[in-house]
Amino acid sequence: MKILNDTPISVLDLSPIVEGSSPAVSLQHTLDLARHTEQWGYKRFWLAEHHNMPGIASSATSIVIGHVAQGTSTIRVGSGGIMLPNHAPLVIAEQFGTLESLYPGRIDLGLGRAPGTDQLTLQALRRDPRSNGQDFPEQLAELRAYFNPSLSNHAHVKAVPGEGLNVPIWLLGSSGYSAQLAGQLGLPFAFASHFAPQNTVGALNLYRSYFKPSEVLDKPYAMVGVNVVAADTTEVAQKLATSMQLSFLGLIRNKPGKLPAPVEDIEAFCSEHEKLALRERLDSSIVGDPNTVEQKLQAFLDKTEADEIIINSMIYDHSARLRSYKIVAELTNNK
């Protein structure tokens, strides 16, 4: 049985742009959050690639990683994730080779195969709109060979910086595909339970059952994402969580926007069908006072047997967001 106090916790930050604010302020808040969570004992701080999203400031993910790494000193910083099919593997190897050269021993490279955007933006990214990520294993093999040429039998272009550097590669997923691939390759796996809770246990079981020991890992290592909104009272936490709910409601309606201010009654803003959709998307979210959050985090750990938990907190007010992460740190003895 996994114990919450013995489980590393990490941060997933989408650099949320809140209503009435700007990307510049969001990126300042991202660095401030990283500095605080570093002091509170969080293990890593990951940023995600999303495009054409009015409420997310981390589209140029590798640049934001550099910004955060420069402003901190010990916390690991990485991508959760880079959507590899949007990029040439050589470019990602060079970018993360550069980051590892600047901030040695602190950079993670989490990779996904989804576009992280819509079809029109896919075209703007020069990605083939017919592609569904089916060549992801080949792209991944190419990328890994830039860091370690012994993985390829072919002479190829060198990634400079990159070649010979140890940049840990993680596979990210919200279904079984990446779970199975990560297991077969013996790589660490991160599952997006914060927006795909129904698939969590099945994907983790797949990963563990397909796992083969490798030079990277001798046993499976799974990190699981979860939304947490913690406050001093459950009433306050529930109100703060309405920002996250309204944000997901915008996605359901295909009208993404900035992170909204919290409201008194989320029920007044959505239909019965939308309420059901919100429950399905946010089923694993943990909202409440410190005691409630502690109990639910331990239950989440019991269910997933995660080796590490990565926490996403979409909270409108920056000081309330900091408070939420501090509460979790205190609960897990990451003080």
Side-chain angles (χ1 to χ4, degrees):
M1 177 179 170
K2 300 288 178 87
I3 305 298
L4 188 59
N5 286 348
D6 297 333
T7 303
I9 54 169
S10 294
V11 178
L12 174 62
D13 179 30
L14 301 185
S15 292
I17 306 169
V18 305
E19 288 182 347
S21 190
S22 68
V25 172
S26 297
L27 293 170
Q28 292 168 12
H29 286 167
T30 281
L31 180 55
D32 187 59
L33 176 64
R35 287 171 169 165
H36 278 89
T37 51
E38 178 177 70
Q39 293 172 2
W40 297 332
Y42 283 77
K43 184 170 185 177
R44 56 186 105 238
F45 192 98
W46 277 11
L47 296 131
E49 177 187 353
H50 291 276
H51 300 282
N52 194 30
M53 295 288 283
I56 296 176
S58 55
S59 56
T61 315
S62 58
I63 295 176
V64 186
I65 290 170
H67 170 65
V68 170
Q70 174 66 31
T72 54
S73 58
T74 57
I75 196 168
R76 296 192 66 88
V77 190
S79 58
I82 290 288
M83 300 300 111
L84 186 57
N86 291 345
H87 309 274
L90 174 62
V91 173
I92 297 303
E94 291 171 339
Q95 288 178 358
F96 279 78
T98 300
L99 287 167
E100 175 63 22
S101 298
L102 291 169
Y103 313 105
R106 295 182 57 208
I107 302 299
D108 295 324
L109 176 50
L111 299 169
R113 69 185 184 100
T117 190
D118 56 84
Q119 289 295 318
L120 281 176
T121 311
L122 280 184
Q123 295 176 34
L125 289 166
R126 304 295 188 267
R127 178 174 169 179
D128 184 350
R130 297 167 298 177
S131 172
N132 60 5
Q134 73 274 11
D135 57 348
F136 180 75
E138 290 76 21
Q139 285 189 301
L140 174 61
E142 181 184 343
L143 174 62
R144 296 181 73 199
Y146 286 127
F147 291 115
N148 181 4
S150 70
L151 295 176
S152 173
N153 295 323
H154 309 288
H156 61 71
V157 176
K158 294 180 181 294
V160 182
E163 185 173 314
L165 296 180
N166 179 24
V167 179
I169 290 177
W170 294 64
L171 296 195
L172 280 55
S174 57
S175 66
Y177 181 94
S178 292
Q180 183 174 330
L181 183 60
Q184 291 170 335
L185 296 175
L187 295 174
F189 176 59
F191 186 81
S193 188
H194 58 292
F195 68 80
Q198 284 76 20
N199 299 332
T200 304
V201 173
L204 292 172
N205 287 341
L206 262 181
Y207 169 61
R208 291 165 180 145
S209 65
Y210 274 90
F211 184 85
K212 297 178 181 177
S214 68
E215 292 182 0
V216 178
L217 290 175
D218 58 3
K219 61 182 180 179
Y221 192 93
M223 178 163 64
V224 184
V226 62
N227 299 307
V228 176
V229 179
D232 293 315
T233 70
T234 293
E235 184 180 22
V236 170
Q238 288 174 339
K239 182 174 180 179
L240 292 173
T242 61
S243 294
M244 171 181 66
Q245 293 166 331
L246 288 169
S247 180
F248 270 94
L249 192 59
L251 295 177
I252 291 168
R253 293 172 176 171
N254 200 28
K255 294 180 179 179
K258 294 184 176 181
L259 185 66
V263 296
E264 292 295 338
D265 181 18
I266 188 65
E267 301 276 322
F269 288 82
C270 47
S271 67
E272 290 302 318
H273 171 74
E274 289 170 337
K275 290 175 189 176
L276 179 61
L278 279 178
R279 282 195 292 271
E280 288 177 350
R281 293 286 291 273
L282 301 175
D283 184 56
S284 68
S285 298
I286 294 171
V287 178
D289 61 17
N291 185 54
T292 300
V293 169
E294 182 176 25
Q295 291 178 2
K296 289 188 174 182
L297 274 174
Q298 182 60 58
F300 181 76
L301 192 57
D302 293 343
K303 177 182 177 182
T304 62
E305 298 183 331
D307 299 290
E308 187 171 337
I309 296 173
I310 187 164
I311 292 170
N312 177 41
S313 297
M314 297 290 280
I315 298 173
Y316 178 85
D317 181 74
H318 183 60
S319 60
R321 195 165 182 240
L322 290 175
R323 178 63 183 145
S324 182
Y325 277 104
K326 187 175 183 182
I327 288 171
V328 173
E330 290 169 345
L331 294 175
T332 57
N333 286 340
N334 285 281
K335 300 174 183 175

Short mmCIF file of all heavy atoms in Angstrom, two decimals, residues 14 18 24 26 45 58 83 97 112 116 133 144 167 180 210 231-232 238 264 277 286-288 298 300 315 320-321 328:
data_model
loop_
_atom_site.label_atom_id
_atom_site.label_comp_id
_atom_site.label_asym_id
_atom_site.label_seq_id
_atom_site.Cartn_x
_atom_site.Cartn_y
_atom_site.Cartn_z
N LEU A 14 -0.37 25.01 -16.23
CA LEU A 14 -0.77 25.38 -17.59
C LEU A 14 -0.58 26.88 -17.83
O LEU A 14 -1.04 27.40 -18.85
CB LEU A 14 -2.23 24.99 -17.84
CG LEU A 14 -2.58 23.51 -17.69
CD1 LEU A 14 -4.02 23.25 -18.08
CD2 LEU A 14 -1.64 22.64 -18.50
N VAL A 18 -5.95 34.39 -16.71
CA VAL A 18 -7.27 34.60 -16.11
C VAL A 18 -7.95 35.80 -16.75
O VAL A 18 -7.31 36.67 -17.36
CB VAL A 18 -7.17 34.80 -14.58
CG1 VAL A 18 -6.43 33.62 -13.94
CG2 VAL A 18 -6.50 36.12 -14.23
N ALA A 24 1.62 37.90 -20.02
CA ALA A 24 2.81 38.37 -19.29
C ALA A 24 2.65 38.15 -17.79
O ALA A 24 3.56 37.65 -17.11
CB ALA A 24 3.05 39.85 -19.59
N SER A 26 0.59 35.98 -16.39
CA SER A 26 0.53 34.53 -16.17
C SER A 26 1.92 33.92 -16.06
O SER A 26 2.17 33.07 -15.20
CB SER A 26 -0.24 33.86 -17.30
OG SER A 26 -1.57 34.31 -17.33
N PHE A 45 8.35 20.44 -11.74
CA PHE A 45 7.42 21.48 -12.19
C PHE A 45 7.32 21.36 -13.70
O PHE A 45 8.27 21.63 -14.42
CB PHE A 45 7.97 22.86 -11.80
CG PHE A 45 6.98 23.99 -11.94
CD1 PHE A 45 6.28 24.47 -10.85
CD2 PHE A 45 6.77 24.60 -13.17
CE1 PHE A 45 5.39 25.53 -10.96
CE2 PHE A 45 5.88 25.65 -13.31
CZ PHE A 45 5.18 26.12 -12.20
N SER A 58 1.51 28.79 -22.05
CA SER A 58 2.73 27.98 -22.17
C SER A 58 2.90 27.34 -23.54
O SER A 58 3.48 26.26 -23.64
CB SER A 58 2.75 26.90 -21.08
OG SER A 58 1.57 26.11 -21.14
N MET A 83 4.11 17.96 -27.50
CA MET A 83 3.37 17.12 -28.44
C MET A 83 4.28 16.82 -29.63
O MET A 83 4.39 17.61 -30.57
CB MET A 83 2.09 17.81 -28.89
CG MET A 83 1.13 18.14 -27.75
SD MET A 83 0.58 16.69 -26.81
CE MET A 83 1.39 16.96 -25.23
N GLY A 97 18.36 19.46 -25.30
CA GLY A 97 19.80 19.37 -25.08
C GLY A 97 20.36 20.69 -24.59
O GLY A 97 21.24 20.73 -23.72
N GLY A 112 3.87 13.74 -25.59
CA GLY A 112 2.54 13.26 -25.94
C GLY A 112 2.43 13.13 -27.45
O GLY A 112 3.27 13.65 -28.19
N GLY A 116 -2.83 18.69 -29.25
CA GLY A 116 -2.91 19.77 -28.28
C GLY A 116 -3.59 20.99 -28.85
O GLY A 116 -3.39 22.10 -28.35
N GLY A 133 -1.10 10.55 -35.32
CA GLY A 133 -0.07 10.15 -34.38
C GLY A 133 0.41 8.73 -34.57
O GLY A 133 1.13 8.18 -33.73
N ARG A 144 15.05 9.68 -29.45
CA ARG A 144 15.92 9.02 -28.47
C ARG A 144 17.31 8.77 -29.05
O ARG A 144 18.31 8.85 -28.32
CB ARG A 144 15.29 7.70 -28.01
CG ARG A 144 13.97 7.87 -27.26
CD ARG A 144 13.42 6.52 -26.82
NE ARG A 144 14.20 5.97 -25.71
CZ ARG A 144 14.21 4.68 -25.36
NH1 ARG A 144 13.50 3.80 -26.07
NH2 ARG A 144 14.93 4.28 -24.35
N VAL A 167 18.72 13.23 -20.76
CA VAL A 167 17.47 13.95 -20.55
C VAL A 167 16.37 12.90 -20.38
O VAL A 167 15.99 12.24 -21.36
CB VAL A 167 17.14 14.88 -21.74
CG1 VAL A 167 15.82 15.61 -21.50
CG2 VAL A 167 18.27 15.87 -21.97
N GLN A 180 0.94 1.42 -23.10
CA GLN A 180 1.52 0.18 -23.61
C GLN A 180 2.92 0.42 -24.19
O GLN A 180 3.85 -0.35 -23.93
CB GLN A 180 0.60 -0.40 -24.69
CG GLN A 180 1.06 -1.73 -25.24
CD GLN A 180 0.04 -2.32 -26.20
OE1 GLN A 180 -1.16 -2.08 -26.07
NE2 GLN A 180 0.50 -3.09 -27.17
N TYR A 210 2.71 -4.52 -19.47
CA TYR A 210 3.58 -4.54 -20.64
C TYR A 210 5.02 -4.15 -20.31
O TYR A 210 5.89 -4.23 -21.17
CB TYR A 210 3.05 -3.59 -21.73
CG TYR A 210 2.02 -4.23 -22.63
CD1 TYR A 210 0.66 -4.16 -22.31
CD2 TYR A 210 2.38 -4.90 -23.79
CE1 TYR A 210 -0.30 -4.73 -23.13
CE2 TYR A 210 1.43 -5.47 -24.62
CZ TYR A 210 0.10 -5.40 -24.28
OH TYR A 210 -0.84 -5.97 -25.10
N ALA A 231 -8.41 24.56 0.18
CA ALA A 231 -8.55 25.84 0.88
C ALA A 231 -8.77 25.54 2.36
O ALA A 231 -8.91 24.38 2.77
CB ALA A 231 -9.71 26.64 0.30
N ASP A 232 -8.84 26.58 3.16
CA ASP A 232 -8.99 26.37 4.60
C ASP A 232 -10.36 25.82 4.98
O ASP A 232 -10.51 25.19 6.02
CB ASP A 232 -8.71 27.68 5.34
CG ASP A 232 -7.24 28.09 5.21
OD1 ASP A 232 -6.36 27.22 5.37
OD2 ASP A 232 -6.98 29.26 4.92
N GLN A 238 -14.80 24.84 -2.76
CA GLN A 238 -15.82 24.55 -3.77
C GLN A 238 -16.09 25.76 -4.65
O GLN A 238 -16.30 25.62 -5.86
CB GLN A 238 -17.10 24.06 -3.09
CG GLN A 238 -16.97 22.66 -2.51
CD GLN A 238 -18.18 22.23 -1.70
OE1 GLN A 238 -18.96 23.07 -1.22
NE2 GLN A 238 -18.33 20.93 -1.51
N GLU A 264 -20.88 31.72 -7.51
CA GLU A 264 -21.52 31.13 -6.34
C GLU A 264 -22.14 29.77 -6.64
O GLU A 264 -22.07 28.85 -5.83
CB GLU A 264 -22.59 32.09 -5.80
CG GLU A 264 -22.04 33.38 -5.20
CD GLU A 264 -21.19 33.16 -3.95
OE1 GLU A 264 -21.36 32.10 -3.29
OE2 GLU A 264 -20.36 34.03 -3.64
N ALA A 277 -21.43 15.85 -18.36
CA ALA A 277 -20.13 15.91 -19.03
C ALA A 277 -19.05 16.42 -18.09
O ALA A 277 -17.92 15.91 -18.08
CB ALA A 277 -20.22 16.79 -20.27
N ILE A 286 -10.13 16.69 -6.76
CA ILE A 286 -10.16 16.69 -5.30
C ILE A 286 -10.33 18.13 -4.84
O ILE A 286 -9.47 18.99 -5.10
CB ILE A 286 -8.88 16.06 -4.74
CG1 ILE A 286 -8.83 14.57 -5.12
CG2 ILE A 286 -8.80 16.25 -3.23
CD1 ILE A 286 -7.50 13.90 -4.79
N VAL A 287 -11.43 18.39 -4.16
CA VAL A 287 -11.78 19.75 -3.74
C VAL A 287 -12.19 19.72 -2.28
O VAL A 287 -13.04 18.89 -1.89
CB VAL A 287 -12.94 20.31 -4.60
CG1 VAL A 287 -13.32 21.72 -4.12
CG2 VAL A 287 -12.58 20.32 -6.08
N GLY A 288 -11.60 20.60 -1.46
CA GLY A 288 -12.04 20.63 -0.06
C GLY A 288 -11.05 21.26 0.88
O GLY A 288 -10.04 21.85 0.48
N GLN A 298 -5.24 10.26 -0.45
CA GLN A 298 -4.84 8.91 -0.06
C GLN A 298 -5.70 7.87 -0.79
O GLN A 298 -5.20 6.84 -1.24
CB GLN A 298 -4.96 8.72 1.45
CG GLN A 298 -4.50 7.34 1.94
CD GLN A 298 -3.05 7.04 1.62
OE1 GLN A 298 -2.15 7.76 2.02
NE2 GLN A 298 -2.81 5.95 0.88
N PHE A 300 -7.09 8.30 -3.71
CA PHE A 300 -6.62 8.34 -5.10
C PHE A 300 -5.35 7.51 -5.24
O PHE A 300 -5.17 6.75 -6.22
CB PHE A 300 -6.36 9.79 -5.50
CG PHE A 300 -5.90 10.00 -6.91
CD1 PHE A 300 -6.79 9.93 -7.97
CD2 PHE A 300 -4.57 10.28 -7.19
CE1 PHE A 300 -6.38 10.13 -9.28
CE2 PHE A 300 -4.14 10.49 -8.49
CZ PHE A 300 -5.05 10.41 -9.53
N ILE A 315 -6.88 27.75 -10.46
CA ILE A 315 -7.52 28.65 -9.50
C ILE A 315 -7.31 30.09 -9.98
O ILE A 315 -6.19 30.48 -10.32
CB ILE A 315 -6.95 28.45 -8.08
CG1 ILE A 315 -7.25 27.01 -7.62
CG2 ILE A 315 -7.51 29.46 -7.10
CD1 ILE A 315 -6.59 26.63 -6.31
N ALA A 320 -4.68 32.44 -3.76
CA ALA A 320 -5.43 31.24 -3.39
C ALA A 320 -4.81 29.99 -4.01
O ALA A 320 -4.82 28.91 -3.41
CB ALA A 320 -6.89 31.38 -3.84
N ARG A 321 -4.25 30.14 -5.19
CA ARG A 321 -3.57 29.02 -5.85
C ARG A 321 -2.33 28.62 -5.05
O ARG A 321 -2.07 27.42 -4.83
CB ARG A 321 -3.20 29.43 -7.27
CG ARG A 321 -2.81 28.28 -8.18
CD ARG A 321 -2.84 28.75 -9.63
NE ARG A 321 -2.52 27.67 -10.53
CZ ARG A 321 -1.48 27.66 -11.37
NH1 ARG A 321 -0.69 28.71 -11.44
NH2 ARG A 321 -1.25 26.62 -12.14
N VAL A 328 -1.37 21.22 0.26
CA VAL A 328 -1.01 19.87 -0.18
C VAL A 328 0.39 19.50 0.31
O VAL A 328 0.64 18.38 0.77
CB VAL A 328 -1.12 19.74 -1.71
CG1 VAL A 328 -0.58 18.38 -2.17
CG2 VAL A 328 -2.57 19.91 -2.15
#
